Amino acid sequence: VNVTAPRVSRPSWDPQTNRENHRFSRLLAPPMPYYKNAALLEFVRETLDEPRMLDHILVSEDLAGRVTEATRVCERAVDGTLGSDHFGLAAVFR
């Protein structure tokens, strides 16, 4: 069971909010695989900068009923930089 939706409304992948990490990771990352599929490559290029929920917290049905809260975490920059190009997610269980 995905316990992040609908509790977390802000995206975990957000190049617009996390600009510095996304700029840096593009300098280091190899080209996106496109498997010789031009349409796939074009889709990746068009959507790479779109904020979206790429990350999830998945638990068993038994545990899902015990979740009281799920939030996006690691949103504060240290020395001007966030910890990752993804924001973290956390869940609280009772």
Side-chain angles (χ1 to χ4, degrees):
V1 175
N2 179 1
V3 299
T4 50
R7 293 175 175 95
V8 180
S9 60
R10 293 173 298 156
S12 63
W13 174 266
D14 191 351
Q16 296 165 11
T17 302
N18 194 353
R19 292 178 196 268
E20 185 61 19
N21 274 335
H22 282 266
R23 183 190 68 75
F24 182 67
S25 65
R26 288 200 182 129
L27 294 173
L28 299 176
M32 296 292 284
Y34 68 97
Y35 310 103
K36 298 186 181 184
N37 180 332
L40 176 59
L41 182 60
E42 185 61 24
F43 172 77
V44 168
R45 286 182 178 152
E46 289 176 358
T47 61
L48 189 60
D49 291 328
E50 290 181 17
R52 56 186 166 254
M53 184 58 77
L54 288 183
D55 306 279
H56 304 279
I57 299 173
L58 305 174
V59 300
S60 68
E61 288 183 15
D62 292 341
L63 283 177
R66 297 178 52 195
V67 174
T68 59
E69 179 183 354
T71 58
R72 189 173 88 167
V73 297
C74 302
E75 300 179 301
R76 291 193 183 144
V78 175
D79 296 328
T81 304
L82 292 159
S84 173
D85 57 351
H86 292 245
F87 289 104
L89 300 173
V92 176
F93 296 80
R94 62 175 156 86

